[in-house]
Amino acid sequence: MPGFVIANWKLNKTKKEALEFIHGLQAQAPFKDTHVGVSPAFPYLETLTSALSGTQGISVYAQNVAFAEAGAYTGEVSAPMIKDVGANGVIVGHSERRHVFKENPDWMAQKISQALKQGLLVVYCVGETLKERDSNLGPEVVNRQLKEGLEGLEADLKALIKDKKLLVIAYEPVWAIGTGRNMEPIEAKEAAKAIKAKVGEILEGYIPPVLYGGSVNPKNIEGFSGHPEIDGVLVGGASLEMKSFLPLIRAFEKRIP
Ligand code: PGA
């Protein structure tokens, strides 16, 4: 399976910096069987989709999406708006949304539905906190999050996921995000296998690509890319500079014979 290497820029980069990065990335494209993605802040989605028009293999994802299509929801950005500016997908349920902004777990399925209705790829993030891990609750928490996001989807959206491969899961243990403390690749591999099995059960046979996220960098990338069960990485800190992002792409390109 081709690898995914997705940059999550969070609340970073000005328009100029985002464009400089994209031009640098374009100069390295095409990437051998690797889906490269960038997630800028909302105001720059269109800047990047325009800059990338005609470039193959680099996608643009929003960092979040509203649970409703339209209405009185100050500060939100809807899936139709994200689609309208040419983005390819959305990140849903990132741990910073869940924990810092206290997003309600009940919104996850609604957000995923909204994105799917627009044909956007969903990168659905799941992962346990340190406290949950220390109480051996990791797998239980992840299974619960998978069920919350996916179980209640309408049958036609479940069929759409299967048909168009519109769902990717990012497994990001909360304690590993932005801490410089990554999960051991062998453990991430086991988690990826379990997630595939669980999603396969919920979505009746759809086995999603599963990415690992949490303090991925050029030094530890080969540990993750070395396991075929791990289909890619979602990257924060190391995605901000080309010199630390490009080696991550190269590691996944190397997997392709
Ligand atoms: P990090 O962030 O690579 O800085 O740990 C990962 C993420 O939040 O997706």
Side-chain angles (χ1 to χ4, degrees):
M1 194 184 294
F4 285 79
V5 181
I6 303 180
N8 175 10
W9 287 342
K10 309 187 181 184
L11 190 56
N12 292 294
K13 290 203 185 290
T14 60
K15 182 173 174 176
K16 184 167 170 273
E17 289 164 348
L19 276 172
E20 269 169 20
F21 191 100
I22 281 300
H23 292 144
L25 206 52
Q26 275 175 315
Q28 302 292 332
F31 301 104
K32 195 170 151 201
D33 253 351
T34 303
H35 301 296
V36 174
V38 288
S39 306
F42 283 124
Y44 308 136
L45 281 174
E46 191 162 18
T47 311
L48 296 198
T49 58
S50 307
L52 282 168
S53 78
T55 306
Q56 294 289 313
I58 306 176
S59 299
V60 178
Y61 304 117
Q63 295 174 16
N64 192 14
V65 61
F67 61 67
E69 191 175 315
Y73 300 106
T74 302
E76 290 295 287
V77 178
S78 73
M81 293 168 183
I82 292 167
K83 176 76 181 177
D84 201 23
V85 295
N88 309 88
V90 298
I91 297 174
V92 173
H94 187 277
S95 85
E96 284 143 21
R97 299 304 319 170
R98 291 179 188 269
H99 298 288
V100 182
F101 298 98
K102 309 287 179 221
E103 283 199 358
N104 189 328
D106 295 345
W107 298 342
M108 300 304 149
Q110 289 169 264
K111 286 170 178 261
I112 292 173
S113 297
Q114 287 296 327
L116 291 172
K117 284 181 190 159
Q118 299 302 320
L120 295 165
L121 180 90
V122 173
V123 180
Y124 181 46
C125 301
V126 296
E128 77 284 357
T129 63
L130 188 57
K131 199 162 156 228
E132 289 159 344
R133 174 181 168 83
D134 288 344
S135 317
N136 290 323
L137 291 174
E140 196 177 312
V141 168
V142 168
N143 284 346
R144 190 189 68 224
Q145 292 171 334
L146 291 172
K147 278 204 234 163
E148 280 163 357
L150 307 173
E151 213 165 49
L153 294 177
E154 286 162 27
D156 60 333
L157 294 181
K158 286 185 177 171
L160 185 72
I161 290 178
K162 277 198 202 176
D163 188 34
K164 301 263 193 298
K165 301 192 183 5
L166 284 182
L167 175 71
V168 172
I169 305 294
Y171 172 56
E172 301 203 297
V174 180
W175 51 271
I177 299 178
T179 57
R181 197 184 141 204
N182 64 279
M183 177 178 254
E184 283 305 317
I186 190 94
E187 207 184 328
K189 173 196 99 164
E190 290 306 321
K193 269 168 73 178
I195 289 169
K196 288 179 192 199
K198 188 70 194 171
V199 175
E201 203 180 292
I202 302 172
L203 296 180
E204 290 144 30
Y206 176 72
I207 309 295
V210 178
L211 321 186
Y212 166 79
S215 298
V216 170
N217 61 45
K219 287 205 178 85
N220 60 27
I221 186 64
E222 305 247 335
F224 297 103
S225 63
H227 290 294
E229 294 85 350
I230 300 175
D231 302 294
V233 283
L234 179 57
V235 190
S239 75
L240 295 175
E241 300 286 341
M242 190 60 70
K243 67 174 187 301
S244 47
F245 188 58
L246 203 54
L248 313 182
I249 301 173
R250 298 289 181 233
F252 276 90
E253 284 185 302
K254 252 177 37 191
R255 299 212 304 198
I256 311 297

Short mmCIF file of all heavy atoms in Angstrom, two decimals, residues 16-66:
data_model
loop_
_atom_site.label_atom_id
_atom_site.label_comp_id
_atom_site.label_asym_id
_atom_site.label_seq_id
_atom_site.Cartn_x
_atom_site.Cartn_y
_atom_site.Cartn_z
N LYS A 16 3.32 33.40 3.59
CA LYS A 16 4.59 33.38 2.86
C LYS A 16 5.36 32.09 3.17
O LYS A 16 5.89 31.43 2.28
CB LYS A 16 5.40 34.62 3.27
CG LYS A 16 6.69 34.82 2.54
CD LYS A 16 7.23 36.24 2.81
CE LYS A 16 8.63 36.38 2.30
NZ LYS A 16 9.65 35.98 3.24
N GLU A 17 5.40 31.75 4.44
CA GLU A 17 6.13 30.53 4.84
C GLU A 17 5.47 29.27 4.28
O GLU A 17 6.14 28.34 3.85
CB GLU A 17 6.19 30.43 6.37
CG GLU A 17 7.12 31.45 7.00
CD GLU A 17 6.90 31.61 8.51
OE1 GLU A 17 5.89 31.11 9.05
OE2 GLU A 17 7.73 32.27 9.14
N ALA A 18 4.13 29.27 4.28
CA ALA A 18 3.41 28.11 3.77
C ALA A 18 3.71 27.94 2.27
O ALA A 18 3.97 26.83 1.79
CB ALA A 18 1.91 28.27 4.00
N LEU A 19 3.70 29.06 1.54
CA LEU A 19 3.96 28.99 0.10
C LEU A 19 5.40 28.57 -0.20
O LEU A 19 5.65 27.80 -1.12
CB LEU A 19 3.66 30.35 -0.55
CG LEU A 19 2.20 30.57 -0.91
CD1 LEU A 19 1.97 32.01 -1.35
CD2 LEU A 19 1.73 29.59 -2.00
N GLU A 20 6.33 29.10 0.61
CA GLU A 20 7.73 28.72 0.40
C GLU A 20 7.91 27.22 0.57
O GLU A 20 8.58 26.55 -0.21
CB GLU A 20 8.62 29.44 1.43
CG GLU A 20 9.14 30.77 0.93
CD GLU A 20 9.79 31.60 2.05
OE1 GLU A 20 10.17 31.02 3.09
OE2 GLU A 20 9.86 32.83 1.86
N PHE A 21 7.25 26.69 1.60
CA PHE A 21 7.35 25.26 1.87
C PHE A 21 6.78 24.46 0.68
O PHE A 21 7.38 23.50 0.21
CB PHE A 21 6.57 24.93 3.15
CG PHE A 21 6.82 23.55 3.68
CD1 PHE A 21 7.70 23.32 4.73
CD2 PHE A 21 6.15 22.45 3.13
CE1 PHE A 21 7.92 22.04 5.22
CE2 PHE A 21 6.37 21.17 3.62
CZ PHE A 21 7.24 20.96 4.67
N ILE A 22 5.60 24.90 0.22
CA ILE A 22 4.94 24.18 -0.88
C ILE A 22 5.79 24.22 -2.14
O ILE A 22 5.92 23.23 -2.86
CB ILE A 22 3.53 24.79 -1.12
CG1 ILE A 22 2.58 24.24 -0.06
CG2 ILE A 22 2.99 24.50 -2.50
CD1 ILE A 22 2.43 22.73 -0.04
N HIS A 23 6.39 25.35 -2.42
CA HIS A 23 7.24 25.42 -3.61
C HIS A 23 8.44 24.48 -3.47
O HIS A 23 8.84 23.82 -4.42
CB HIS A 23 7.68 26.87 -3.88
CG HIS A 23 6.52 27.74 -4.28
ND1 HIS A 23 6.42 29.06 -3.90
CD2 HIS A 23 5.41 27.47 -4.99
CE1 HIS A 23 5.29 29.56 -4.39
NE2 HIS A 23 4.66 28.61 -5.05
N GLY A 24 8.95 24.40 -2.26
CA GLY A 24 10.07 23.47 -2.00
C GLY A 24 9.63 22.02 -2.20
O GLY A 24 10.38 21.21 -2.77
N LEU A 25 8.43 21.73 -1.77
CA LEU A 25 7.91 20.36 -1.90
C LEU A 25 7.64 20.02 -3.37
O LEU A 25 7.96 18.92 -3.83
CB LEU A 25 6.60 20.28 -1.09
CG LEU A 25 6.15 18.94 -0.53
CD1 LEU A 25 7.24 18.27 0.28
CD2 LEU A 25 4.91 19.15 0.34
N GLN A 26 7.07 21.00 -4.07
CA GLN A 26 6.79 20.79 -5.50
C GLN A 26 8.07 20.48 -6.27
O GLN A 26 8.07 19.67 -7.19
CB GLN A 26 6.15 22.04 -6.10
CG GLN A 26 4.66 22.10 -5.89
CD GLN A 26 4.09 23.41 -6.38
OE1 GLN A 26 4.64 24.48 -6.10
NE2 GLN A 26 2.98 23.36 -7.08
N ALA A 27 9.14 21.11 -5.84
CA ALA A 27 10.41 20.90 -6.53
C ALA A 27 10.90 19.45 -6.35
O ALA A 27 11.71 18.96 -7.13
CB ALA A 27 11.46 21.88 -6.00
N GLN A 28 10.40 18.78 -5.31
CA GLN A 28 10.81 17.39 -5.05
C GLN A 28 9.84 16.38 -5.66
O GLN A 28 10.12 15.19 -5.70
CB GLN A 28 10.88 17.13 -3.54
CG GLN A 28 11.81 18.03 -2.78
CD GLN A 28 13.27 17.79 -3.13
OE1 GLN A 28 13.65 16.67 -3.51
NE2 GLN A 28 14.09 18.82 -3.03
N ALA A 29 8.65 16.84 -6.06
CA ALA A 29 7.62 15.93 -6.58
C ALA A 29 7.98 15.50 -8.01
O ALA A 29 8.75 16.20 -8.66
CB ALA A 29 6.26 16.64 -6.56
N PRO A 30 7.45 14.39 -8.54
CA PRO A 30 6.47 13.51 -7.91
C PRO A 30 7.14 12.57 -6.90
O PRO A 30 8.34 12.29 -7.00
CB PRO A 30 5.90 12.72 -9.09
CG PRO A 30 6.99 12.68 -10.10
CD PRO A 30 7.77 13.96 -9.92
N PHE A 31 6.34 12.08 -5.97
CA PHE A 31 6.84 11.15 -4.97
C PHE A 31 6.42 9.74 -5.35
O PHE A 31 5.28 9.52 -5.74
CB PHE A 31 6.32 11.54 -3.59
CG PHE A 31 6.74 12.93 -3.21
CD1 PHE A 31 5.84 13.99 -3.25
CD2 PHE A 31 8.05 13.18 -2.85
CE1 PHE A 31 6.24 15.27 -2.93
CE2 PHE A 31 8.46 14.48 -2.53
CZ PHE A 31 7.54 15.52 -2.57
N LYS A 32 7.35 8.85 -5.19
CA LYS A 32 7.12 7.46 -5.63
C LYS A 32 6.08 6.79 -4.74
O LYS A 32 6.36 6.46 -3.60
CB LYS A 32 8.46 6.73 -5.54
CG LYS A 32 8.52 5.42 -6.26
CD LYS A 32 9.97 4.94 -6.28
CE LYS A 32 10.04 3.45 -6.31
NZ LYS A 32 11.32 2.96 -5.85
N ASP A 33 4.88 6.64 -5.29
CA ASP A 33 3.83 5.90 -4.58
C ASP A 33 3.61 6.34 -3.14
O ASP A 33 3.32 5.52 -2.27
CB ASP A 33 4.14 4.40 -4.60
CG ASP A 33 3.20 3.69 -5.56
OD1 ASP A 33 2.26 4.34 -6.03
OD2 ASP A 33 3.41 2.50 -5.83
N THR A 34 3.80 7.60 -2.85
CA THR A 34 3.60 8.09 -1.49
C THR A 34 2.66 9.29 -1.55
O THR A 34 2.90 10.20 -2.35
CB THR A 34 4.96 8.50 -0.86
OG1 THR A 34 5.82 7.36 -0.92
CG2 THR A 34 4.82 8.95 0.57
N HIS A 35 1.60 9.23 -0.76
CA HIS A 35 0.68 10.36 -0.71
C HIS A 35 1.21 11.37 0.29
O HIS A 35 1.25 11.09 1.48
CB HIS A 35 -0.71 9.93 -0.23
CG HIS A 35 -1.35 8.88 -1.07
ND1 HIS A 35 -1.69 9.09 -2.38
CD2 HIS A 35 -1.71 7.61 -0.79
CE1 HIS A 35 -2.23 8.00 -2.86
NE2 HIS A 35 -2.25 7.07 -1.93
N VAL A 36 1.58 12.53 -0.20
CA VAL A 36 2.09 13.57 0.69
C VAL A 36 0.96 14.56 0.93
O VAL A 36 0.22 14.92 0.00
CB VAL A 36 3.32 14.26 0.06
CG1 VAL A 36 3.78 15.44 0.90
CG2 VAL A 36 4.45 13.24 -0.10
N GLY A 37 0.80 14.98 2.18
CA GLY A 37 -0.27 15.92 2.49
C GLY A 37 0.21 17.04 3.38
O GLY A 37 1.16 16.87 4.15
N VAL A 38 -0.42 18.20 3.24
CA VAL A 38 -0.13 19.31 4.14
C VAL A 38 -1.44 19.86 4.69
O VAL A 38 -2.43 19.98 3.96
CB VAL A 38 0.65 20.47 3.45
CG1 VAL A 38 2.08 20.08 3.17
CG2 VAL A 38 -0.03 20.90 2.16
N SER A 39 -1.42 20.19 5.97
CA SER A 39 -2.61 20.77 6.62
C SER A 39 -2.27 22.14 7.17
O SER A 39 -1.72 22.25 8.27
CB SER A 39 -3.08 19.90 7.78
OG SER A 39 -3.26 18.60 7.35
N PRO A 40 -2.57 23.18 6.39
CA PRO A 40 -2.32 24.54 6.87
C PRO A 40 -3.52 25.01 7.70
O PRO A 40 -4.55 24.34 7.74
CB PRO A 40 -2.24 25.32 5.56
CG PRO A 40 -3.20 24.63 4.66
CD PRO A 40 -3.16 23.16 5.03
N ALA A 41 -3.38 26.17 8.29
CA ALA A 41 -4.53 26.79 8.96
C ALA A 41 -5.57 27.16 7.88
O ALA A 41 -5.23 27.35 6.71
CB ALA A 41 -4.06 28.04 9.70
N PHE A 42 -6.83 27.26 8.30
CA PHE A 42 -7.92 27.50 7.34
C PHE A 42 -7.68 28.63 6.33
O PHE A 42 -7.97 28.45 5.14
CB PHE A 42 -9.23 27.79 8.09
CG PHE A 42 -9.90 26.56 8.64
CD1 PHE A 42 -10.20 26.46 9.99
CD2 PHE A 42 -10.25 25.50 7.81
CE1 PHE A 42 -10.82 25.33 10.50
CE2 PHE A 42 -10.87 24.36 8.31
CZ PHE A 42 -11.16 24.29 9.67
N PRO A 43 -7.15 29.80 6.76
CA PRO A 43 -7.05 30.91 5.78
C PRO A 43 -6.15 30.59 4.58
O PRO A 43 -6.25 31.26 3.55
CB PRO A 43 -6.44 32.06 6.59
CG PRO A 43 -6.72 31.72 8.01
CD PRO A 43 -6.72 30.22 8.09
N TYR A 44 -5.29 29.58 4.73
CA TYR A 44 -4.34 29.30 3.64
C TYR A 44 -4.69 28.06 2.82
O TYR A 44 -3.93 27.66 1.95
CB TYR A 44 -2.92 29.18 4.20
CG TYR A 44 -2.55 30.37 5.05
CD1 TYR A 44 -1.89 30.21 6.27
CD2 TYR A 44 -2.88 31.66 4.65
CE1 TYR A 44 -1.58 31.30 7.06
CE2 TYR A 44 -2.58 32.75 5.44
CZ TYR A 44 -1.93 32.57 6.64
OH TYR A 44 -1.64 33.65 7.42
N LEU A 45 -5.84 27.47 3.10
CA LEU A 45 -6.21 26.28 2.32
C LEU A 45 -6.23 26.60 0.83
O LEU A 45 -5.63 25.91 0.02
CB LEU A 45 -7.60 25.76 2.74
CG LEU A 45 -7.69 24.94 4.03
CD1 LEU A 45 -9.15 24.65 4.35
CD2 LEU A 45 -6.90 23.64 3.91
N GLU A 46 -6.94 27.69 0.48
CA GLU A 46 -7.09 28.00 -0.94
C GLU A 46 -5.76 28.45 -1.56
O GLU A 46 -5.48 28.16 -2.72
CB GLU A 46 -8.17 29.06 -1.15
CG GLU A 46 -8.52 29.21 -2.61
CD GLU A 46 -9.85 29.90 -2.84
OE1 GLU A 46 -10.36 30.57 -1.91
OE2 GLU A 46 -10.38 29.78 -3.96
N THR A 47 -4.97 29.15 -0.75
CA THR A 47 -3.65 29.58 -1.24
C THR A 47 -2.87 28.35 -1.69
O THR A 47 -2.24 28.33 -2.75
CB THR A 47 -2.85 30.24 -0.08
OG1 THR A 47 -3.69 31.19 0.56
CG2 THR A 47 -1.58 30.87 -0.55
N LEU A 48 -2.94 27.30 -0.87
CA LEU A 48 -2.15 26.11 -1.19
C LEU A 48 -2.79 25.28 -2.30
O LEU A 48 -2.07 24.76 -3.15
CB LEU A 48 -1.94 25.24 0.06
CG LEU A 48 -1.13 25.89 1.19
CD1 LEU A 48 -0.62 24.83 2.15
CD2 LEU A 48 0.05 26.71 0.68
N THR A 49 -4.12 25.17 -2.29
CA THR A 49 -4.72 24.36 -3.36
C THR A 49 -4.48 25.04 -4.71
O THR A 49 -4.24 24.36 -5.71
CB THR A 49 -6.24 24.12 -3.14
OG1 THR A 49 -6.91 25.37 -3.04
CG2 THR A 49 -6.49 23.30 -1.89
N SER A 50 -4.48 26.37 -4.74
CA SER A 50 -4.20 27.06 -6.01
C SER A 50 -2.75 26.85 -6.41
O SER A 50 -2.45 26.55 -7.58
CB SER A 50 -4.42 28.56 -5.89
OG SER A 50 -5.69 28.84 -5.41
N ALA A 51 -1.86 26.98 -5.42
CA ALA A 51 -0.43 26.83 -5.75
C ALA A 51 -0.14 25.42 -6.25
O ALA A 51 0.77 25.20 -7.04
CB ALA A 51 0.42 27.12 -4.51
N LEU A 52 -0.93 24.46 -5.78
CA LEU A 52 -0.66 23.06 -6.12
C LEU A 52 -1.42 22.56 -7.34
O LEU A 52 -1.25 21.41 -7.73
CB LEU A 52 -1.01 22.16 -4.93
CG LEU A 52 0.02 22.15 -3.81
CD1 LEU A 52 -0.55 21.49 -2.57
CD2 LEU A 52 1.30 21.47 -4.25
N SER A 53 -2.26 23.42 -7.93
CA SER A 53 -3.09 22.90 -9.03
C SER A 53 -2.16 22.39 -10.13
O SER A 53 -1.19 23.05 -10.51
CB SER A 53 -4.07 23.94 -9.54
OG SER A 53 -3.43 24.85 -10.35
N GLY A 54 -2.46 21.18 -10.56
CA GLY A 54 -1.62 20.56 -11.59
C GLY A 54 -0.48 19.73 -11.03
O GLY A 54 0.19 19.01 -11.76
N THR A 55 -0.23 19.81 -9.72
CA THR A 55 0.84 18.98 -9.14
C THR A 55 0.21 17.69 -8.64
O THR A 55 -0.76 17.72 -7.90
CB THR A 55 1.50 19.70 -7.93
OG1 THR A 55 1.93 20.99 -8.34
CG2 THR A 55 2.69 18.91 -7.40
N GLN A 56 0.75 16.57 -9.06
CA GLN A 56 0.22 15.28 -8.63
C GLN A 56 0.85 14.87 -7.29
O GLN A 56 2.01 15.16 -7.04
CB GLN A 56 0.59 14.20 -9.66
CG GLN A 56 -0.08 14.37 -11.01
CD GLN A 56 -1.58 14.08 -10.96
OE1 GLN A 56 -1.99 13.07 -10.40
NE2 GLN A 56 -2.37 14.97 -11.52
N GLY A 57 0.07 14.19 -6.48
CA GLY A 57 0.65 13.51 -5.32
C GLY A 57 0.81 14.34 -4.06
O GLY A 57 1.34 13.85 -3.07
N ILE A 58 0.37 15.62 -4.09
CA ILE A 58 0.42 16.42 -2.85
C ILE A 58 -1.02 16.90 -2.57
O ILE A 58 -1.63 17.56 -3.41
CB ILE A 58 1.35 17.64 -2.96
CG1 ILE A 58 2.76 17.22 -3.41
CG2 ILE A 58 1.44 18.38 -1.61
CD1 ILE A 58 3.74 18.37 -3.63
N SER A 59 -1.52 16.51 -1.42
CA SER A 59 -2.90 16.86 -1.07
C SER A 59 -2.91 17.93 0.01
O SER A 59 -1.94 18.09 0.75
CB SER A 59 -3.63 15.63 -0.53
OG SER A 59 -3.67 14.63 -1.51
N VAL A 60 -4.06 18.60 0.10
CA VAL A 60 -4.24 19.64 1.12
C VAL A 60 -5.41 19.24 2.01
O VAL A 60 -6.49 18.91 1.52
CB VAL A 60 -4.50 21.02 0.46
CG1 VAL A 60 -4.74 22.09 1.51
CG2 VAL A 60 -3.32 21.41 -0.43
N TYR A 61 -5.16 19.23 3.30
CA TYR A 61 -6.19 18.83 4.26
C TYR A 61 -6.45 19.97 5.24
O TYR A 61 -5.52 20.63 5.70
CB TYR A 61 -5.73 17.61 5.07
CG TYR A 61 -5.35 16.41 4.23
CD1 TYR A 61 -4.05 15.90 4.22
CD2 TYR A 61 -6.30 15.78 3.43
CE1 TYR A 61 -3.71 14.80 3.45
CE2 TYR A 61 -5.97 14.68 2.66
CZ TYR A 61 -4.67 14.20 2.68
OH TYR A 61 -4.35 13.11 1.91
N ALA A 62 -7.73 20.10 5.62
CA ALA A 62 -8.08 21.03 6.69
C ALA A 62 -7.79 20.35 8.03
O ALA A 62 -7.83 19.12 8.13
CB ALA A 62 -9.55 21.40 6.59
N GLN A 63 -7.52 21.15 9.05
CA GLN A 63 -7.18 20.59 10.36
C GLN A 63 -8.42 20.22 11.18
O GLN A 63 -8.30 19.60 12.24
CB GLN A 63 -6.33 21.58 11.16
CG GLN A 63 -4.98 21.84 10.51
CD GLN A 63 -4.19 22.92 11.24
OE1 GLN A 63 -4.50 23.29 12.37
NE2 GLN A 63 -3.17 23.43 10.58
N ASN A 64 -9.58 20.63 10.71
CA ASN A 64 -10.81 20.39 11.45
C ASN A 64 -11.96 20.64 10.49
O ASN A 64 -11.76 21.16 9.39
CB ASN A 64 -10.88 21.37 12.64
CG ASN A 64 -11.96 21.01 13.63
OD1 ASN A 64 -12.52 19.90 13.62
ND2 ASN A 64 -12.28 21.94 14.51
N VAL A 65 -13.17 20.28 10.91
CA VAL A 65 -14.36 20.55 10.10
C VAL A 65 -15.55 20.67 11.05
O VAL A 65 -15.58 20.00 12.09
CB VAL A 65 -14.58 19.42 9.05
CG1 VAL A 65 -14.77 18.06 9.70
CG2 VAL A 65 -15.75 19.73 8.12
N ALA A 66 -16.51 21.50 10.67
CA ALA A 66 -17.70 21.67 11.52
C ALA A 66 -18.57 20.41 11.47
O ALA A 66 -18.58 19.68 10.48
CB ALA A 66 -18.51 22.86 11.03
#
